[in-house]
Amino acid sequence: MRWLRRNLVGIIGILVLVYLFVPIAVVIALSFNKPAGKFNISWNQFSADAWTNLCGVPGVCSSFVTSIQIGIISTLIATVMGTLIAFALVRYRFRGRSTTNLLIFLPMATPEVVMGSSLLALFLNLRFPLGAVTVAIAHIMFIISFVVVTVKARLQGMDPRLEEAARDLYASPRATFRYVTFPLVLPGIIGAALLGFSLSFDDFIISFFNAGTLVTFPIFIWGAAQRGIPPQVNALATIVFLAALAIVLIAQVVSYRRRRALQGA
Amino acid sequence: MGARPVEDLHLVSLTKAFGDMVAVDDLTLTIPAGSFFALLGASGCGKTTTLRMIAGLEDPTSGSIRIGEQDVTGLKAYRRPVNTVFQSYALFPHLDIFENVAFGLRRRRVKNIKPKVNAMLELVQLGPMARRKPSQLSGGQQQRVAVARALINEPDVLLLDEPLGALDLKLRRQMQIELKRIQTEVGTTFVHVTHDQEEAMTMADTVAVMNAGRIEQLGHPAEIYELPRSAFVANFLGQSNLIEGQRQDDGDMVTVVAHGVAFRLLRSRNAAAGGSVIVGVRPEKITVVDAADAARVPDGHNQVAGTVTDVSYSGVSTQYLIRARWGQELIVFEQNVIVGDRCDVGDEVVMHWAPEHSFGLDGSQDVYAGVEPAVLELEAAQ
Ligand SMILES: Nc1ncnc2c1ncn2[C@@H]1O[C@H](COP(=O)(O)OP(=O)(O)O)[C@@H](O)[C@H]1O
Ligand SMILES: [Mg+2]
């Protein structure tokens, strides 16, 4: 009993980790399964088929690539626009500034079903053909919100004296931006872009409304789920998971190395 | 360093208003080339605003700034031969110490930066820290980086805005000496802003006491200390005993009667034009004798009888509070030269001082101007 009390925090911690990682472990494990029937839900027999033949199921790879492309393009556009908007909102006083500040939150606050269907209504009204462009437009919309909010917070948190110090040290407005303001805001921009990409890659509801005949990865999985998800989907999901893990680990290692190098100096 | 002839800095009728609030009020001032100039004043009196105008970070409402013959009033901050050590250092957190120091040189595309930066880091004794980030340095080290980063540009004028304010007392004393050494070594004009009167007096060749956007008095520290020209200066720069009275008669000596006691002071040391005069004397100029020994007081000395109300011993000196007959408490510092023979609380004593140690101030002023609020509260409580 005493032992339990002393280790309670540790035990709960382990249970939470198990809770978080069991689904991922199942996904990875089932990517090596050879499904008995249509549904890849119970372990049958080990097989590396899904891995050696990643694109073996029609549509799985093309939808994956489509999602990556839309993710990259909408993230790029949204990050540039969102960063510019954030600078304008923080640095300039103009009419409608506070309204803009409020409106920028709207895409984050609106339920996805509402936003997806409204956009669809809009595109149909405009007779705009549904496809990659409409999906990208929809994604840019909600990514911008995240970028603006993140970059704005970063800018507002920045000591204004740093820019004054740069001006005092012979940096023109342009050099001040390039060598001081931008590098200081950059981590915020990168963070917002990574988040934006993962939101875009992951989005189902809004994409589904506005995709027309386009098939993104989430839409493919949804369609496949009706007939039985092929293990290739698990394999691709595993790749995405490992890529995300790698990014996190690299970021950790880089910052740890830098800290160690500096302390050792 | 200092290959260029350094030039005087002139502020002419410099004024800055934020809406109705006049932060700097018609300031006219010449800061001689190569001097260590201290701008001393309480918080909010306009010191930072003055520095920011000199640096070009704030536009004056009116007035002009010249360096030598060159009018720099309209010059952008990044074109002025002036650099600043900011109150909070404002080191670039994303750059290491070397790049922080090199920043100004790189912006001006100076060639062969490395030896210059290394020499500067040596000057402020930070050579081994070149590749660290600012956040990995102690407060005192960050402070020296800020100085190096500004000084490496060989400005005509270096502005320091309370550079030691964030440091603890011991480090502050150490850095005062350090800054003074650096200034002597490079010969650049330093304009040092502080609210610490002791710091201003120990470091500067010239001290300007600032109050509510104006310069109250300017001069060598000893000159201002010995002969303050306003109640604010008398109280803010060190401590003073100020006694309000009326002028009686004039000869070589002015006689002022206050509370039935006559005080004499040199005519040359009287700043009051009218009949109402504040007589002032610094606490260490006063000698205390036992009331029974009143006969020992030299002829012609000003004297006040009183009762000791407080004695605090601090090793080097003893501080007495002595209540005069009319209720005012005077403060006296006495060197602990003689062992024993100290007064105790309740003793009846006579305070006396030579007439040439008195100074006279215009009687229309508030005698408490410039006293620290904490001291005022203490007195009110008693
Ligand atoms: N940007 C500003 N806007 C409005 N008031 C200001 C501004 N900067 C300074 N002030 C005011 O001007 C006065 C002088 O400020 P400052 O120069 O910072 O004083 P100090 O450095 O002597 O403490 C203060 O009352 C301050 O509130
Ligand atoms: Mg200030």
Side-chain angles (χ1 to χ4, degrees):
Chain A
M1 204 55 214
R2 277 256 297 277
W3 178 88
L4 189 68
R5 203 177 302 154
R6 216 174 313 137
N7 294 290
L8 197 61
V9 174
I11 293 169
I12 291 177
I14 290 170
L15 286 177
V16 169
L17 285 179
V18 167
Y19 173 69
L20 287 176
F21 285 111
V22 158
I24 296 171
V26 168
V27 167
I28 297 175
L30 288 180
S31 75
F32 293 101
N33 190 23
K34 186 184 181 77
K38 266 169 45 172
F39 290 92
N40 182 17
I41 43 175
S42 56
W43 186 256
N44 179 38
Q45 187 190 333
F46 179 85
S47 148
D49 280 358
W51 287 92
T52 52
N53 197 8
L54 255 183
C55 301
V57 178
V60 69
C61 274
S62 62
S63 69
F64 189 78
V65 170
T66 302
S67 272
I68 299 249
Q69 282 171 340
I70 288 179
I72 289 176
I73 288 174
S74 24
T75 301
L76 273 180
I77 296 175
T79 303
V80 172
M81 285 173 61
T83 304
L84 293 176
I85 293 172
F87 268 94
L89 287 175
V90 175
R91 289 301 162 84
Y92 299 97
R93 305 269 163 270
F94 52 87
R95 278 187 62 168
R97 182 169 152 272
S98 45
T99 318
T100 314
N101 257 323
L102 202 71
L103 287 178
I104 226 68
F105 270 103
L106 225 51
M108 280 200 284
T110 315
E112 289 189 63
V113 202
V114 176
M115 197 160 118
S117 54
S118 315
L119 273 171
L120 175 65
L122 177 74
F123 289 133
L124 291 179
N125 261 322
L126 294 173
R127 305 197 188 291
F128 200 97
L130 297 180
V133 177
T134 47
V135 171
I137 289 175
H139 286 193
I140 288 169
M141 239 180 91
F142 63 76
I143 301 175
I144 277 190
S145 299
F146 283 94
V147 175
V148 171
V149 170
T150 321
V151 176
K152 228 177 76 178
R154 188 94 192 170
L155 263 177
Q156 281 166 337
M158 203 172 86
D159 183 356
R161 284 183 196 271
L162 293 175
E163 288 177 301
E164 288 183 350
R167 277 201 284 156
D168 186 63
L169 293 164
Y170 311 100
S172 62
R174 178 182 266 175
T176 301
F177 179 81
R178 177 163 168 205
Y179 296 107
V180 175
T181 317
F182 187 68
L184 286 173
V185 177
L186 189 60
I189 297 177
I190 293 177
L194 286 176
L195 179 66
F197 179 82
S198 89
L199 287 172
S200 161
F201 186 82
D202 182 60
D203 177 71
F204 174 71
I205 301 177
I206 297 175
S207 308
F208 188 66
F209 275 105
N210 297 286
T213 57
L214 184 81
V215 180
T216 64
F217 193 55
I219 293 177
F220 174 85
I221 294 177
W222 186 79
Q226 317 288 308
R227 308 179 301 269
I229 299 174
Q232 273 81 354
V233 168
N234 293 56
L236 286 169
T238 305
I239 290 174
V240 172
F241 170 72
L242 291 178
L245 198 65
I247 291 176
V248 172
L249 282 178
I250 288 169
Q252 292 282 335
V253 168
V254 166
S255 79
Y256 173 78
R257 276 251 194 93
R258 188 179 298 162
R259 221 173 311 143
R260 266 248 320 236
L262 288 165
Q263 275 160 4
Chain B
M1 248 166 245
R4 239 165 343 126
V6 266
E7 313 234 45
D8 293 354
L9 172 68
H10 306 273
L11 311 183
V12 186
S13 302
L14 201 59
T15 301
K16 178 71 195 186
F18 297 104
D20 286 344
M21 169 47 223
V22 180
V24 176
D25 192 2
D26 195 27
L27 201 69
T28 299
L29 191 63
T30 293
I31 298 173
S35 65
F36 199 124
F37 188 95
L39 203 53
L40 172 69
S43 174
C45 74
K47 305 180 300 289
T48 298
T49 307
T50 306
L51 282 200
R52 287 172 61 81
M53 286 192 285
I54 301 173
L57 297 170
E58 200 87 68
D59 289 326
T61 309
S62 63
S64 67
I65 302 161
R66 278 189 297 121
I67 296 173
E69 288 310 306
Q70 191 198 2
D71 190 321
V72 298
T73 318
L75 213 57
K76 298 265 189 241
Y78 55 92
R79 299 230 165 84
R80 286 192 198 195
V82 172
N83 291 107
T84 308
V85 176
F86 287 84
Q87 199 159 5
S88 50
Y89 314 143
L91 300 180
F92 303 124
H94 59 299
L95 301 177
D96 64 21
I97 300 314
F98 184 96
E99 286 305 323
N100 262 281
V101 175
F103 193 90
L105 298 182
R106 291 211 193 281
R107 298 294 81 76
R108 286 183 301 156
R109 307 210 155 65
V110 172
K111 300 257 173 346
N112 206 9
I113 285 176
K114 202 161 182 225
K116 292 198 177 97
V117 174
N118 285 334
M120 185 48 70
L121 287 175
E122 284 308 315
L123 180 74
V124 296
Q125 301 170 345
L126 282 175
M129 306 289 173
R131 288 301 163 196
R132 293 207 192 181
K133 286 281 176 71
S135 58
Q136 287 157 329
L137 265 52
S138 70
Q141 290 169 330
Q142 291 186 17
Q143 208 277 326
R144 294 206 294 262
V145 176
V147 172
R149 183 179 72 170
L151 212 50
I152 196 168
N153 303 294
E154 301 181 21
D156 286 348
V157 181
L158 184 75
L159 307 173
L160 303 103
D161 192 357
E162 308 210 12
L164 311 178
L167 307 178
D168 60 55
L169 191 68
K170 198 166 160 226
L171 200 53
R172 196 150 75 213
R173 296 276 170 266
Q174 208 176 318
M175 282 306 301
Q176 286 172 2
I177 297 167
E178 182 83 6
L179 273 179
K180 187 77 192 154
R181 173 184 71 82
I182 293 171
Q183 197 268 340
T184 314
E185 211 162 315
V186 298
T188 308
T189 312
F190 276 37
V191 180
H192 181 111
V193 157
T194 177
H195 63 255
D196 177 346
Q197 47 96 14
E198 201 176 326
E199 184 173 301
M201 288 203 281
T202 51
M203 297 178 79
D205 317 321
T206 309
V207 175
V209 183
M210 203 171 168
N211 181 26
R214 293 172 158 278
I215 300 283
E216 290 253 342
Q217 194 175 347
L218 179 154
H220 187 273
E223 197 182 303
I224 304 184
Y225 183 82
E226 294 301 338
L227 188 55
R229 276 340 198 28
S230 71
F232 180 87
V233 176
N235 289 322
F236 194 75
L237 198 77
Q239 287 172 292
S240 291
N241 296 297
L242 300 180
I243 305 161
E244 291 176 285
Q246 292 297 321
R247 185 193 291 218
Q248 285 278 304
D249 63 338
D250 280 0
D252 270 354
M253 292 275 184
V254 175
T255 304
V256 176
V257 176
H259 312 286
V261 181
F263 296 94
R264 300 197 311 142
L265 56 129
L266 294 176
R267 177 193 272 286
S268 61
R269 288 174 62 88
N270 180 21
S276 122
V277 180
I278 297 169
V279 176
V281 61
R282 293 291 191 181
E284 74 284 357
K285 302 294 194 293
I286 300 177
T287 310
V288 180
V289 296
D290 202 281
D293 298 329
R296 269 182 18 203
V297 174
D299 275 353
H301 270 208
N302 293 320
Q303 46 181 302
V304 176
T307 313
V308 177
T309 57
D310 187 67
V311 181
S312 44
Y313 177 78
S314 70
V316 181
S317 65
T318 305
Q319 175 189 315
Y320 297 102
L321 285 181
I322 299 172
R323 193 187 301 281
R325 296 280 172 264
W326 62 88
Q328 184 180 359
E329 265 182 344
L330 302 187
I331 179 169
V332 178
F333 297 148
E334 203 155 72
Q335 293 283 319
N336 291 326
V337 190
I338 309 156
V339 181
D341 192 31
R342 276 203 318 276
C343 301
D344 288 317
V345 172
D347 283 2
E348 294 296 322
V349 294
V350 172
M351 297 168 269
H352 66 89
W353 66 91
E356 49 272 23
H357 284 145
S358 305
F359 50 84
L361 305 171
D362 193 284
S364 62
Q365 303 170 75
D366 175 12
V367 291
Y368 290 109
V371 177
E372 280 177 59
V375 175
L376 278 180
E377 270 167 39
L378 207 71
E379 284 187 9
Q382 281 174 352

